[in-house]
Amino acid sequence: MEISRRSFLAAAGTTGTAALLGLLGLDLRPAAAYAQQTTPRRGKVYTTICPYCGVGCGAIVEVDDAGRIVNIEGDSDHPINLGAMCSKGASLYQLHDNPRRLRKVLHRKPGAGDWEELTWDEAIRRIAARVKQTRDENWISQDANGHTVNRTDAIACLGGAALDTEECYLLVKAMRALGLVYIEHQARI
Amino acid sequence: MAVKALLIDTVRCTGCRGCQVACKQWNKRPAEKTEFFAGPGYQNPKDLSKDTWCLVTYNEVEIGGRFEWVFGKKQCMHCLVPACVSACPVAALERVETERSSAVIYHKHKCLGCRYCMLACPFLVPRFEFDSPNPYITKCTMCFDRQEQGELPACAKACPTGAITFGDRAELIAEAQRRIATNPSVYHHHIYGLEEAGGTCVLHISNVPFEQLGYFTDIPHRALATTANTAMQAIPLVMFGAAVVLGLSYQLRNRTRQGEPPRAHG
Amino acid sequence: MTNHWIDMVNTDVAMICGSNAAENHPIAARWLQKAKDNGTIILSCDPRYTRTTAFADYYCKMRSGTDIAFVGGIINYALQNDRIDREYVRHYTNATFVIRPEYDFNDGLFSGYNPDGDPPRYDSSKWGYELDESGVPRRDMTMEHPRCVFQLLKKHFARYDLETVCSVTGADPETYRKICDVYTSTWAPGRVGTWLYAMGTTQHTHGTQNIRTYVILQLLLGNVGKAGGGINALRGESNVQGSTDMALLFHILPGYLKTPAVGLETLQDYLNKYTPKSNDPLSANWWQNYPKYMVSLLKAFWGDHATAENDFCYSYLGKISGNLSYISLFEAMYAGKIKGLFCFGQNPAVAGPNANKERDALANLDWLVCVDLFESDTSVFWKRAGVDPGQIQTEVFLLPALASMEKEGSVVNSGRWAQWRYKAADGPGEALSDAAVITRLVLALKELYQQGGQFPDPIVNLSWDYNVDSHGEPDIHMVAAEYNGYYTSGPNRGRQVASFAKLAADGSTCSGNWLYCGSYIDYADGKGPELEDGPHITQVRGRKTINRMAKRFAEDPAGLPPGRCIGLNPDWSWCWPVNRRIIYNRASVDLHGNPWDPKRWVIRWNAEAGKWEGDVPDGGWPPMANPDGSENPKTKRPFIMRPEGVACLFAPSLADGPFPEHYEPLESPISNPFSSRQYNPVIKVWEPDKIGTPDEFPVVATTYRVCEHWQAGNMTRNTPWLVELVPDVFVEMSPILARELGGVRNGDWVIVTSKRGRIRARALVTNRFEPFFVGGRYVHQIGIPWHWGYNGLATGDSANLLTPHVGDANTMIPEYKAFLCRVEKEEVA
């Protein structure tokens, strides 16, 4: 096919213009498609209460199909904070997704310089044995005046203002049943 | 088309930095290594960066002879006529307005990495991932994706006091004016961002002049792109005009040589 | 709090004193801002200019440790200027009560002081009410009797004149006068003021009396029981309210019952001792129900084993004597008396006062069990810098715990709202909930004690019936249902008890915590929106139940009757007691049951219907007066938890006096100008040789918090986004002090030393601190946030290495907020 100089120039010009236009990004896709480019950050919503101060702000935790938390922000339905969060509450995602979180039971032998790992069963077995030994060796059923005392002063329990109320109840129930009297926590200090 | 904006009222701000962390959280930007503080008060990091798109500033000022602590917020101003958009040769930065949302957004897949946007922005907002082998520009997106879902930008949602409000630009301007008019002795009589750089979609009101908050205040009240635009728009005219002038001069010259045979070209 | 968070929006004047609310309870600022939009005035009174001050309308500075002088002056101002809500004071406080002639106060001491004893103590029988023939306190309704509480109060606070107060506190007189004027303007029945306080108030050797000054002032102004009023402690942890209610404290049992003292051999001895009596027929004396709550608690703990025949297993409870609180605990540990320690989400190596001593004390333990989200400073005390692990024989277990969003349960905020929350995702690795840890341990101990040991019965017979799964997780709903309580016998057996009014002392009910009775009820006892479907409808032990703590029906302000105060949100979660959102609310109405302040009423008497409308009334009894003005014999006085039935301006049951009196902190730069008693005369001074004096330690120091970190830092110092904001410990000081130290610039390292220890920190030089002109000279003060420790993503020296082992006379809360130190610029080598 014969190409005249004119037609060549015309064809080149048209192609070049089109390429240039393309390069300049004159995209006819809707701008809203931009919103889809970002990593999915929405999912099934669970409600929670911030574990930090005593205001008790509501937060929502969004979980993807694989069960991973993808977003934590304020709960707009909560009447106290209406979705607002301070710096601590806003950072809750990193309380969960954090390589420094403890994942295993750790144990330190007397005199040792570092941790070793234990299973839960082994740890509970050992702790229960320690508690029983200390309690039994330091049990006081009566004081010097013959009064019934039924306690041990050799074991103490601290904690915990960040535990759920149900956990606090179980803790006080357990510790009082063991006869501990040195029971204290953050409310005192 | 929506023209959405944020109104930052530093009089209401308590410096809690819920906004700063909410931005990090939504966008999952990593924390930077910091030491002590960047200046008086608790500011950290020192400045906006590739990972910090929203920064609360802490400013110790004097108001009426009295010491006061006033907090500011630095972020992309989402200009109505953005200089960064104008400067970008590949339109990687774009101002979009849809039915319900608006923002100046960034398409990373188009970016050349030329950083002209950083030079162009009068607020020194866009930041570059210098330490990445595949670097991009980053900046606040006014949570355009959240807007499209009918949600508030993360910073606006996090703010407890209404120091950050999100809404239609016109309505927020009216609200800003109302607050200033109702408390004329409290507020500094200026809405930062109303006209700076031709008008932005992040408006600030405060109880002190804005240079005391570390904001840039020497910004012309017209879109910075207009100078370039004016020059750029002149180019075709200039080129066409030059072509005409040269063509005419050629003709004139030729006419004086009429009658001579055309010269052979080697 | 007597009120709650949203209620702040209802106030005319918010006094933030002893709290830095915008810093540590930032979302409170939402409601304070809304209040400001309506003209509310915010007052910030603090040793330094804080983020709260930036938000406030007026700021008055005061030296740490001088709150009683500061607020005593406002009390005096109110009394001298007759800015008193007289009718409120007359009828709802013990202002009219006549005190017996043995009561006296002279040169800083009340009558009945016994200087011997460690600590010295008062014989509070010297502060008794004069009783009439029926054994009811005698009242002078004119409040003119020289020995009536009102006159004694006036006389006591007459010494707190403006000049004296300003010279002790270092406050600017003009600003102070303005504060007095603005705050006491809430005396008028149509105006109300709220008092917000926190650790700035409590962490002193006179912390309880600090609070007492607020109480006295609020009562004089008629602000308690009203919307926008109250005494509002801003509690610091998400569930310190719940943990306190559940009594993880040596001296109480769940529901604020008392731990039995040595000598109370039988249940009846115990109940006789602790069940208060009142001869006043108009006093509800609610604690007369004590036996019902105690027996129900014992039934919850030991189930069917607890019967009337065995005193409901009362003998299973350990009996106490002496003070076993936190400081005593660590003193005992230091002395080698404590062998084993559990730390459930607590970090004493950073949080405890005199941290060097407390860290050394840990080395005396045979074993330590820490349960936490991150490796805490406490859990690695044995490998901190400066110690040789080979010399420390403590066996340590560090158990990985689940965080809030990884488990289901409830937490109680400062407004007493118990809010349920859900598990969103599994926790990391093998982490378990604290409930599972406790459960597994209890079940293991039960097994061990089946085989014998010392006094095994309380453990073997402990009821632990929670459908425990294979990981050891109990059904948390069954736990909540138990602390609510259910019927153990009779026709209602198994049914949840719907209200603590239904609890019995005969063993037919169990309830782990009477205050929470009503939080988890049978569906059949529900009413209103809670009958609708939702996450709050649950099933426990085969019964359809309502977990009121999980209710999520927010208040619709448009749906409220005219004038009703906003924010009560009765159907959002559940609060104690019995979902009463503003307690003492029967003091918000006059004797006829009409609100003192109709434009934001809390309750009001509907005479036609014969009942109260609005919030749950603080006792459903009718108003105190009949329509003709005569006393209604069916009524009860409004402060139902006091045997007197009225609130106490004069409080005879406190260890350090019925009235607050200014004393200097244990370590102070000046002599006490109010009396020759330098510090609180009845505190226990644990280490007399460790008290710093101004010649060696001339600078006042205090400790506080920043918004971005939380308590001992174990969570926030491991959170990168928060560490980015505030990475390092710092000392705030005025530029004048910085200059006097040889030109310390912002960011320079300084060494701060006290009698107990030293720390190294960066100086933050700021105009937010100014020197105080007290006792005729300038005194400097510095402040140190205490969140740092040697372990974590962010580390730094702990401010508590400096603080003393000394605490409040009533609560033994350590005096973290005012001590002495010396500051030096660190010499660069």
Side-chain angles (χ1 to χ4, degrees):
Chain A
M1 163 182 152
E2 212 169 274
I3 307 173
S4 72
R5 196 190 314 156
R6 184 170 300 175
S7 60
F8 175 79
L9 282 174
T14 316
T15 317
T17 310
L20 190 63
L21 285 175
L23 199 58
L24 288 172
L26 283 176
D27 204 320
L28 298 180
R29 285 184 298 168
Y34 168 86
Q36 307 312 318
Q37 291 173 25
T38 53
T39 326
R41 286 168 294 194
R42 307 255 77 145
K44 180 164 191 298
V45 173
Y46 294 87
T47 55
T48 190
I49 302 293
C50 180
Y52 285 118
C53 83
V55 174
C57 296
I60 54 170
V61 185
E62 297 184 78
V63 176
D64 69 12
D65 292 334
R68 281 183 307 245
I69 295 179
V70 291
N71 184 45
I72 305 183
E73 60 184 65
D75 179 357
S76 343
D77 292 334
H78 195 291
I80 297 177
N81 62 313
L82 299 166
M85 288 254 118
C86 74
S87 52
K88 294 187 295 297
S91 72
L92 283 176
Y93 178 84
Q94 280 189 337
L95 191 65
H96 169 77
D97 183 0
N98 190 317
R100 300 179 72 90
R101 281 288 298 277
L102 296 171
R103 307 175 65 83
K104 292 263 195 215
V105 174
L106 298 176
H107 176 252
R108 183 246 180 192
K109 292 196 181 75
D114 218 329
W115 297 111
E116 60 178 9
E117 283 180 8
L118 279 187
T119 62
W120 271 108
D121 283 345
E122 183 57 22
I124 296 291
R125 192 191 65 74
R126 293 194 199 186
I127 296 170
R130 287 299 234 157
V131 170
K132 183 166 191 297
Q133 181 187 15
T134 307
R135 180 179 178 276
D136 288 352
E137 284 172 4
N138 295 277
W139 184 250
I140 316 170
S141 37
Q142 288 195 335
D143 71 1
N145 300 323
H147 289 130
T148 310
V149 160
N150 280 345
R151 68 174 199 242
T152 175
D153 293 346
I155 305 177
C157 179
L158 291 178
L163 268 56
D164 293 353
T165 302
E166 296 71 33
E167 297 175 321
C168 293
Y169 173 67
L170 292 177
L171 186 58
V172 77
K173 189 177 182 187
M175 295 300 149
R176 289 289 177 196
L178 284 167
L180 265 67
V181 288
Y182 278 115
I183 300 174
E184 283 283 298
H185 78 293
Q186 289 89 342
R188 178 74 64 188
I189 57 173
Chain B
M1 284 301 161
V3 181
K4 293 296 194 191
L6 291 169
L7 174 62
I8 315 293
D9 184 347
T10 74
V11 172
R12 292 169 172 243
C13 178
T14 60
C16 77
R17 293 195 273 201
C19 57
Q20 191 167 330
V21 178
C23 177
K24 288 257 170 173
Q25 197 283 139
W26 178 252
N27 296 296
K28 300 295 187 297
R29 301 307 294 180
E32 297 177 42
K33 180 95 181 71
T34 52
E35 208 181 294
F36 188 52
F37 296 116
Y42 304 150
Q43 183 172 325
N44 257 331
K46 285 193 173 51
D47 200 356
L48 295 177
S49 73
K50 67 174 176 72
D51 291 321
T52 300
W53 304 350
C54 161
L55 177 66
V56 175
T57 67
Y58 291 74
N59 309 279
E60 300 196 352
V61 301
E62 223 180 74
I63 302 179
R66 225 179 40 239
F67 169 86
E68 296 285 356
W69 210 13
V70 182
F71 315 109
K73 184 177 195 279
K74 277 195 165 175
Q75 61 172 104
C76 174
M77 298 289 279
H78 295 276
C79 303
L80 291 171
V81 185
C84 61
V85 169
S86 164
C88 178
V90 293
L93 286 154
E94 180 190 2
R95 181 173 170 86
V96 285
E97 291 173 12
T98 68
E99 286 294 317
R100 59 169 14 159
S101 329
S102 74
V104 177
I105 61 177
Y106 170 69
H107 304 282
K108 62 197 287 192
H109 65 281
K110 295 180 187 170
C111 181
L112 295 177
C114 72
R115 299 187 288 118
Y116 280 179
C117 52
M118 294 172 69
L119 294 168
C121 175
F123 302 103
L124 300 184
V125 163
R127 301 290 155 138
F128 192 64
E129 294 177 323
F130 283 107
D131 54 2
S132 166
N134 191 20
Y136 291 108
I137 287 285
T138 72
K139 72 171 192 68
C140 159
T141 62
M142 211 192 270
C143 288
F144 182 77
D145 50 353
R146 291 177 66 96
Q147 289 187 51
E148 284 288 284
Q149 292 163 3
E151 300 243 11
L152 295 172
C155 60
K157 182 175 184 186
C159 180
T161 57
I164 308 172
T165 8
F166 172 77
D168 290 320
R169 185 173 190 268
E171 283 173 18
L172 291 179
I173 292 171
E175 173 59 17
Q177 287 164 341
R178 187 195 65 78
R179 288 186 197 173
I180 295 174
T182 325
N183 300 287
S185 58
V186 170
Y187 284 94
H188 177 61
H189 292 214
H190 180 66
I191 302 175
Y192 184 83
L194 183 63
E195 286 172 340
E196 282 81 351
T200 73
C201 289
V202 179
L203 307 158
H204 301 246
I205 52 178
S206 176
N207 46 352
V208 291
F210 290 96
E211 50 273 12
Q212 292 191 34
L213 301 179
Y215 291 11
F216 299 115
T217 46
D218 54 351
I219 309 219
H221 287 201
R222 56 177 170 75
L224 271 78
T226 44
T227 314
N229 268 359
T230 315
M232 301 267 295
Q233 274 159 16
I235 291 175
L237 204 62
V238 165
M239 296 300 283
F240 182 70
V244 165
V245 163
L246 290 172
L248 279 176
S249 77
Y250 177 78
Q251 290 292 337
L252 278 169
R253 269 190 75 224
N254 257 9
R255 240 192 307 145
T256 58
R257 291 172 197 269
Q258 234 164 22
E260 288 178 22
R263 296 181 186 214
H265 297 277
Chain C
M1 293 161 95
T2 56
N3 296 47
H4 59 91
W5 293 105
I6 303 173
D7 183 65
M8 293 174 193
V9 78
N10 296 312
T11 198
D12 293 309
V13 184
M15 168 68 90
I16 307 177
C17 175
S19 148
N20 182 359
E23 185 87 47
N24 301 308
H25 297 92
I27 309 303
R30 169 179 281 288
W31 300 104
L32 292 171
Q33 176 64 60
K34 275 206 157 43
K36 268 177 95 169
D37 291 341
N38 288 330
T40 296
I41 303 174
I42 316 280
L43 307 176
S44 163
C45 300
D46 198 288
R48 76 193 158 130
Y49 185 117
T50 63
R51 286 190 242 203
T52 301
T53 314
F55 185 77
D57 296 292
Y58 296 102
Y59 164 61
C60 188
K61 74 179 192 205
M62 53 192 263
R63 173 172 60 100
S64 283
T66 61
D67 301 64
I68 293 175
F70 192 89
V71 185
I74 309 178
I75 291 173
N76 189 40
Y77 185 94
L79 289 165
Q80 300 301 333
N81 292 289
D82 203 24
R83 289 181 151 208
I84 314 285
D85 187 337
R86 280 208 172 240
E87 287 315 294
Y88 183 105
V89 168
R90 197 191 313 278
H91 293 287
Y92 297 157
T93 75
N94 64 1
T96 54
F97 287 29
V98 178
I99 307 299
R100 294 219 311 267
E102 297 91 78
Y103 167 76
D104 192 18
F105 176 79
N106 189 39
D107 189 28
L109 282 180
F110 295 93
S111 46
Y113 183 63
N114 179 5
D116 307 319
D118 179 32
R121 43 172 18 115
Y122 281 109
D123 171 11
S124 62
S125 70
K126 298 281 187 278
W127 313 331
Y129 301 136
E130 232 176 54
L131 302 178
D132 67 14
E133 314 74 45
S134 358
V136 173
R138 210 151 72 77
R139 308 170 80 181
D140 168 27
M141 300 309 281
T142 69
M143 303 199 288
E144 297 293 334
H145 190 297
R147 275 185 291 110
C148 81
V149 165
F150 189 72
Q151 294 301 329
L152 292 174
L153 184 78
K154 270 183 104 156
K155 185 168 159 213
H156 187 88
F157 283 101
R159 296 166 298 127
Y160 290 76
D161 58 277
L162 194 136
E163 288 74 38
T164 310
V165 166
C166 288
S167 85
V168 164
T169 61
D172 165 60
E174 208 182 293
T175 314
Y176 182 70
R177 191 191 299 278
K178 181 78 181 170
I179 299 286
C180 290
D181 183 56
V182 171
Y183 199 73
T184 58
S185 74
T186 62
W187 73 272
R191 279 177 72 72
V192 67
T194 185
W195 201 289
L196 311 181
Y197 73 94
M199 301 298 101
T201 301
T202 59
Q203 289 174 342
H204 294 272
T205 45
H206 45 254
T208 308
Q209 297 292 352
N210 282 343
I211 305 172
R212 284 275 306 136
T213 56
Y214 310 162
V215 171
I216 290 170
L217 182 59
Q218 286 290 72
L219 291 172
L220 290 175
L221 300 172
N223 284 335
V224 178
K226 290 184 179 157
I231 296 287
N232 295 308
L234 312 187
R235 306 212 63 178
E237 292 93 354
S238 55
N239 201 26
V240 68
Q241 187 62 59
S243 60
T244 312
D245 298 337
M246 288 302 166
L248 284 163
L249 294 166
F250 86 92
H251 67 299
I252 49 176
L253 297 174
Y256 301 98
L257 306 178
K258 306 271 190 274
T259 306
V262 169
L264 300 173
E265 297 281 324
T266 67
L267 179 62
Q268 199 51 56
D269 291 337
Y270 169 86
L271 293 174
N272 288 343
K273 172 108 174 130
Y274 294 122
T275 307
K277 297 188 186 12
S278 171
N279 293 324
D280 180 353
L282 294 190
S283 168
N285 186 23
W286 197 260
W287 275 118
Q288 64 176 301
N289 295 300
Y290 196 112
K292 303 172 188 170
Y293 308 150
M294 182 60 177
V295 171
S296 298
L297 171 71
L298 292 169
K299 287 293 290 181
F301 276 21
W302 286 291
D304 292 338
H305 291 282
T307 64
E309 287 69 44
N310 62 20
D311 250 7
F312 298 104
C313 294
Y314 167 79
S315 64
Y316 288 1
L317 288 173
K319 313 289 183 287
I320 60 167
S321 61
N323 188 301
L324 306 172
S325 66
Y326 186 96
I327 296 179
S328 312
L329 194 159
F330 272 91
E331 289 283 335
M333 199 189 295
Y334 190 78
K337 300 202 184 121
I338 296 184
K339 307 281 176 221
L341 175 68
F342 286 102
C343 260
F344 279 87
Q346 189 154 350
N347 193 9
V350 170
N354 199 348
N356 273 325
K357 184 168 194 179
E358 300 205 352
R359 292 170 189 181
D360 288 341
L362 293 170
N364 290 338
L365 295 169
D366 289 346
W367 53 267
L368 167 65
V369 178
C370 288
V371 186
D372 229 312
L373 305 184
F374 299 92
E375 185 186 74
S376 65
D377 311 76
T378 303
S379 69
V380 290
F381 80 93
W382 40 273
K383 57 172 173 169
R384 69 190 193 276
V387 303
D388 171 15
Q391 300 297 317
I392 297 176
Q393 300 308 316
T394 314
E395 182 178 12
V396 183
F397 297 86
L398 180 54
L399 307 179
L402 292 179
S404 51
M405 71 292 280
E406 300 156 3
K407 59 184 180 181
E408 184 172 352
S410 66
V411 286
V412 186
N413 75 4
S414 205
R416 296 163 284 107
W417 294 16
Q419 305 190 90
W420 202 260
R421 58 186 183 190
Y422 297 90
K423 171 178 172 172
D426 288 332
E430 296 175 13
L432 288 180
S433 72
D434 299 75
V437 173
I438 299 163
T439 295
R440 287 175 78 147
L441 190 59
V442 164
L443 295 178
L445 283 164
K446 272 172 169 288
E447 240 183 78
L448 287 178
Y449 274 101
Q450 298 280 11
Q451 284 133 47
Q454 287 279 14
F455 201 45
D457 289 354
I459 300 147
V460 169
N461 293 339
L462 186 66
S463 115
W464 205 271
D465 179 22
Y466 305 118
N467 250 6
V468 179
D469 75 9
S470 56
H471 295 288
E473 297 281 358
D475 178 342
I476 217 73
H477 290 264
M478 289 180 77
V479 180
E482 179 176 292
Y483 67 62
N484 177 91
Y486 53 86
Y487 294 93
T488 60
S489 61
N492 276 320
R493 181 158 193 235
R495 185 183 181 128
Q496 293 294 105
V497 180
S499 142
F500 52 62
K502 302 265 172 53
L503 291 174
D506 61 4
S508 60
T509 58
C510 74
S511 169
N513 188 327
W514 71 276
L515 273 180
Y516 282 76
C517 195
S519 62
Y520 210 112
I521 58 168
D522 260 35
Y523 186 84
D525 288 315
K527 28 181 174 287
E530 64 195 8
L531 294 172
E532 289 170 35
D533 241 343
H536 58 286
I537 306 294
T538 55
Q539 253 216 7
V540 173
R541 293 192 312 275
R543 305 179 74 91
K544 188 173 182 188
T545 44
I546 300 176
N547 177 3
R548 286 176 158 159
M549 300 180 270
K551 284 164 68 173
R552 286 177 61 91
F553 304 100
E555 180 177 272
D556 169 24
L560 294 175
R564 232 285 280 287
C565 72
I566 70 159
L568 295 183
N569 281 285
D571 291 296
W572 182 278
S573 77
W574 178 90
C575 81
W576 65 257
V578 294
N579 207 29
R580 180 177 300 133
R581 302 273 157 157
I582 296 181
I583 55 186
Y584 307 123
N585 57 30
R586 277 200 312 119
S588 72
V589 298
D590 64 19
L591 301 179
H592 297 273
N594 300 318
W596 295 113
D597 184 5
K599 67 180 192 299
R600 46 196 155 192
W601 58 272
V602 180
I603 59 169
R604 65 182 176 196
W605 179 250
N606 181 332
E608 265 176 44
K611 58 191 186 77
W612 295 96
E613 294 174 340
D615 190 13
V616 177
D618 211 329
W621 305 280
M624 294 187 65
N626 289 315
D628 65 1
S630 59
E631 194 174 70
N632 184 341
K634 293 208 184 66
T635 194
K636 298 288 179 206
R637 303 190 199 283
F639 286 84
I640 65 173
M641 300 310 289
R642 303 276 332 152
E644 305 95 326
V646 293
C648 291
L649 293 171
F650 181 95
S653 57
L654 291 176
D656 45 1
F659 285 136
E661 168 69 2
H662 172 78
Y663 304 105
E664 287 290 314
L666 180 67
E667 295 189 347
S668 157
I670 64 164
S671 316
N672 183 4
F674 281 89
S675 73
S676 60
R677 309 297 314 191
Q678 175 67 10
Y679 53 77
N680 189 329
V682 294
I683 56 169
K684 175 154 174 85
V685 181
W686 289 92
E687 297 172 303
D689 57 333
K690 285 270 174 59
I691 303 177
T693 49
D695 50 324
E696 215 189 330
F697 303 103
V699 176
V700 174
T702 192
T703 58
Y704 41 65
R705 298 155 163 87
V706 293
C707 178
E708 295 78 7
H709 282 295
W710 190 63
Q711 309 300 54
N714 194 30
M715 289 155 75
T716 58
R717 279 188 293 113
N718 282 305
T719 298
W721 289 327
L722 298 174
V723 169
E724 175 184 46
L725 299 178
V726 186
D728 299 316
V729 64
F730 56 96
V731 178
E732 293 190 317
M733 65 175 72
S734 81
I736 302 170
L737 175 60
R739 202 167 51 239
E740 286 176 17
L741 294 176
V744 167
R745 289 158 314 175
N746 198 40
D748 283 351
W749 287 98
V750 292
I751 306 290
V752 183
T753 316
S754 79
K755 195 74 177 174
R756 285 138 318 260
R758 79 196 267 286
I759 66 165
R760 181 176 179 262
R762 304 265 213 170
L764 199 157
V765 180
T766 170
N767 282 305
R768 288 179 287 105
F769 254 122
E770 285 179 349
F772 295 94
F773 192 72
V774 292
R777 62 187 177 88
Y778 278 102
V779 167
H780 284 295
Q781 178 166 337
I782 60 159
I784 314 161
W786 62 273
H787 309 286
W788 278 266
Y790 45 79
N791 202 47
L793 182 59
T795 59
D797 283 353
S798 306
N800 276 320
L801 293 170
L802 306 171
T803 50
H805 247 203
V806 72
D808 174 72
N810 293 283
T811 62
M812 196 64 85
I813 187 169
E815 190 159 60
Y816 296 107
K817 287 288 178 182
F819 56 96
L820 292 181
C821 73
R822 169 173 80 237
V823 189
E824 287 149 323
K825 187 174 174 182
E826 185 183 63
E827 293 312 321
V828 181

